[in-house]
């Protein structure tokens, strides 16, 4: 399961460092970042992340970043995302605890700190999403020999505009009363799910037949069973999950679709941005470079006031000359001192992969 997160911090270098460390976790999915209170609140309400990294003592006081953002979330949301405070001051920790934040990490963030935090967050989210629906089975259908609670896994990520997916996510049965599934789903919905595992359970099954099917199931890890069933439901109803990112450049009714993996780098051009592709083509988008920086995640990294680079197209980094070389071309992109830390993180990321230094 992926855990979408956003970063709200007025320090762009700190945003990049947090993102670089979080990229080491396959289950964490970067969504966007914001540098002030208003943009951060709008992103949360629009994108519904599960995790928020929040700076509460900004260097730029005009950003208005503080714990007050959490209070504002309660005005609009029933379920508040897991909030991780990232700041350099210890003395704000007690106040943050009163706001029931999930964790408090001191800057500069270290990988081991995020590992510990993520494990706690993952456990807390799992506990929040598994709850008990008592007496879900009508009395006339209940078996007194079987416990009368059905555990249902709910995941808000899968709910929204798709009513079928939303209803399925509302009714994923966790065990052990799998023979009562049809009392939760209607026959029509049940056939739409078309899950061969659950098809074994019919309203007229005998207890012996149920036991024969249940026995191998109970020998498996029940947590993995729930996740498998939920994945089958959602994947069937929404085949676009985990698809590669596609950028749509729209201009006066013209929709241009670009695979993000084909983009080498972005170059600022006043209030527009030139997008350079790996085939040598260039497409202009009428958005600023800062706009793309806010919506794109790794491997896209800003290295200069005028450039965002796709790290997958780097063939060479010369720190002495402060330039990055693009694969299969003669293009060299400069990086500035203010983004030197971003380049250092790129070098570090290369060394963390399947890497041999000679």
């Amino acid at each position: 399961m992926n855990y979408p997160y956003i970063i709200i911090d007025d320090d762009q270098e700190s945003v990049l460092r947090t993102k670089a460390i979080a990229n080491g976790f396959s289950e964490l999915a970067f969504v966007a970042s914001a540098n002030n209170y208003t943009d951060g609140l709008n992103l949360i309400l629009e994108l519904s992340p599960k995790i928020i990294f929040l700076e509460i003592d900004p260097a730029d006081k005009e950003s208005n970043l503080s714990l007050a953002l959490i209070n504002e979330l309660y005005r609009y949301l029933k379920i508040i995302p897991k909030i991780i405070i990232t700041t350099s001051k210890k003395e704000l920790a007690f106040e943050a605890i009163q706001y029931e934040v999930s964790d408090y990490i001191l800057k500069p963030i270290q990988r081991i700190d995020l590992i510990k935090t993520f494990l706690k967050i993952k456990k807390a989210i799992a506990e929040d999403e598994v709850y008990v629906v008592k007496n879900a089975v009508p009395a006339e259908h209940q078996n007194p020999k079987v416990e009368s609670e059905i555990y249902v896994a709910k995941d808000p990520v899968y709910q929204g505009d798709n009513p079928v997916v939303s209803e399925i996510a509302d009714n994923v049965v966790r065990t052990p009363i799998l023979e009562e599934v049809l009392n939760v789903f209607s026959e029509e919905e049940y056939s739409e799910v078309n899950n061969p595992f659950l098809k074994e359970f019919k309203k007229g099954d005998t207890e012996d037949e149920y036991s024969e099917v249940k026995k191998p199931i109970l020998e498996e890890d029940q947590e993995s069973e729930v996740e498998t069933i939920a994945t089958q439901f959602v994947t069937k109803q929404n085949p676009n999950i985990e698809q590669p990112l596609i950028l749509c450049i729209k201009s006066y009714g013209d929709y241009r679709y670009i695979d993000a993996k084909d983009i080498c780098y972005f170059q600022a051009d006043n209030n527009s941005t030139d997008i350079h592709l790996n085939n040598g083509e260039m497409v202009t988008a009428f958005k600023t470079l800062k706009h793309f920086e806010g919506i794109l995640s790794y491997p896209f990294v800003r290295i200069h006031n005028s450039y965002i680079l796709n790290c997958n197209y780097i063939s060479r980094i010369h720190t002495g000359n402060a330039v990055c070389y693009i694969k299969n071309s003669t293009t060299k992109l400069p990086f500035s001192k203010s983004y030197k830390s971003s380049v250092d993180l790129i070098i570090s990321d290369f060394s963390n992969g399947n890497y041999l230094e000679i």
Side-chain angles (χ1 to χ4, degrees):
M1 180 183 293
N2 283 340
Y3 298 90
Y5 72 92
I6 67 172
I7 303 172
I8 304 177
D9 196 324
D10 67 314
D11 183 351
Q12 189 60 32
E13 182 177 337
S14 179
V15 170
L16 291 172
R17 179 174 180 81
T18 302
K19 191 195 316 183
I21 296 176
N23 282 336
F25 300 86
S26 60
E27 292 171 290
L28 288 178
F30 176 75
V31 178
S33 64
N35 302 118
N36 59 67
Y37 177 100
T38 302
D39 290 347
L41 177 62
N42 292 341
L43 282 179
I44 295 170
L45 300 181
E46 179 182 354
L47 302 175
S48 301
K50 285 196 172 182
I51 300 174
I52 301 169
F53 292 92
L54 174 64
E55 168 63 78
I56 57 173
D57 184 43
D60 180 8
K61 300 304 179 183
E62 293 184 359
S63 67
N64 295 322
L65 294 180
S66 69
L67 290 166
L69 177 63
I70 302 175
N71 277 342
E72 190 69 8
L73 293 179
Y74 279 99
R75 293 181 56 195
Y76 303 103
L77 302 177
K78 281 187 176 181
I79 300 176
I80 304 300
K82 302 301 178 185
I83 298 176
I84 303 171
I85 301 301
T86 57
T87 189
S88 56
K89 290 188 177 180
K90 292 182 180 179
E91 53 267 30
L92 299 175
F94 179 74
E95 185 179 359
I97 291 173
Q98 293 180 312
Y99 281 78
E100 299 182 350
V101 300
S102 297
D103 213 340
Y104 193 96
I105 303 180
L106 292 177
K107 293 180 179 179
I109 297 176
Q110 303 300 320
R111 178 175 171 78
I112 187 61
D113 294 332
L114 195 54
I115 289 175
K116 294 176 181 178
T117 295
F118 180 52
L119 290 175
K120 289 191 290 185
I121 292 287
K122 188 175 179 182
K123 180 180 177 182
I125 289 177
E127 291 173 350
D128 286 348
E129 292 176 352
V130 177
Y131 71 101
V132 179
V133 179
K134 295 188 176 181
N135 301 319
V137 180
E140 60 269 24
H141 295 297
Q142 289 187 14
N143 185 337
K145 295 182 180 180
V146 185
E147 62 187 275
S148 62
E149 294 178 349
I150 294 180
Y151 291 82
V152 179
K154 287 178 66 69
D155 190 344
V157 166
Y158 299 132
Q159 300 181 22
D161 295 333
N162 189 331
V164 177
V165 175
S166 179
E167 183 149 4
I168 290 172
D170 280 340
N171 298 282
V172 176
V173 177
R174 182 185 176 87
T175 63
I177 315 180
L178 295 177
E179 81 277 14
E180 297 290 353
V181 170
L182 289 179
N183 290 325
V184 180
F185 293 104
S186 69
E187 286 284 351
E188 184 178 355
E189 291 163 346
Y190 177 74
S191 61
E192 285 180 3
V193 173
N194 197 27
N195 187 313
F197 164 72
L198 291 178
K199 277 184 175 180
E200 298 295 332
F201 301 94
K202 305 293 184 181
K203 285 182 178 178
D205 283 347
T206 65
E207 186 174 344
D208 290 341
E209 290 169 341
Y210 168 67
S211 299
E212 287 178 7
V213 183
K214 180 181 70 170
K215 184 177 179 181
I217 301 304
L218 296 180
E219 293 174 355
E220 300 291 335
D221 180 2
Q222 294 184 356
E223 287 292 335
S224 62
E225 178 195 340
V226 176
E227 187 171 343
T228 300
I229 295 173
T231 301
Q232 289 172 338
F233 287 156
V234 176
T235 302
K236 179 177 179 61
Q237 297 297 332
N238 191 348
N240 293 321
I241 292 176
E242 300 296 337
Q243 292 297 311
L245 175 64
I246 295 177
L247 295 186
C248 176
I249 309 302
K250 185 172 67 172
S251 176
Y252 302 105
D254 180 19
Y255 295 79
R256 174 66 183 271
Y257 300 101
I258 303 173
D259 287 337
K261 63 182 178 60
D262 294 334
I263 299 174
C264 294
Y265 63 95
F266 296 80
Q267 182 176 5
D269 184 10
N270 294 322
N271 289 325
S272 63
T273 300
D274 295 333
I275 305 173
H276 294 263
L277 307 181
N278 57 7
N279 62 1
E281 188 179 357
M282 189 266 287
V283 179
T284 297
F286 295 99
K287 298 287 185 180
T288 63
L289 194 66
K290 185 175 180 61
H291 172 80
F292 285 102
E293 181 185 14
I295 64 173
L296 293 173
S297 60
Y298 190 88
F300 294 98
V301 177
R302 189 162 187 173
I303 60 170
H304 190 276
N305 284 339
S306 298
Y307 296 102
I308 293 175
L309 175 60
N310 184 342
C311 298
N312 293 330
Y313 286 95
I314 296 176
S315 64
R316 177 183 177 188
I317 297 176
H318 196 303
T319 56
N321 294 335
V323 293
C324 296
Y325 292 74
I326 302 298
K327 286 180 181 178
N328 304 320
S329 75
T330 58
T331 303
K332 297 184 291 185
L333 302 183
F335 59 85
S336 55
K337 289 183 178 180
S338 57
Y339 290 97
K340 176 63 165 56
S341 60
S342 301
V343 176
D344 291 338
L345 289 173
I346 293 173
I347 295 173
S348 174
D349 187 69
F350 272 115
S351 65
N352 288 333
N354 191 7
Y355 174 81
L356 178 63
E357 187 172 303
I358 302 174

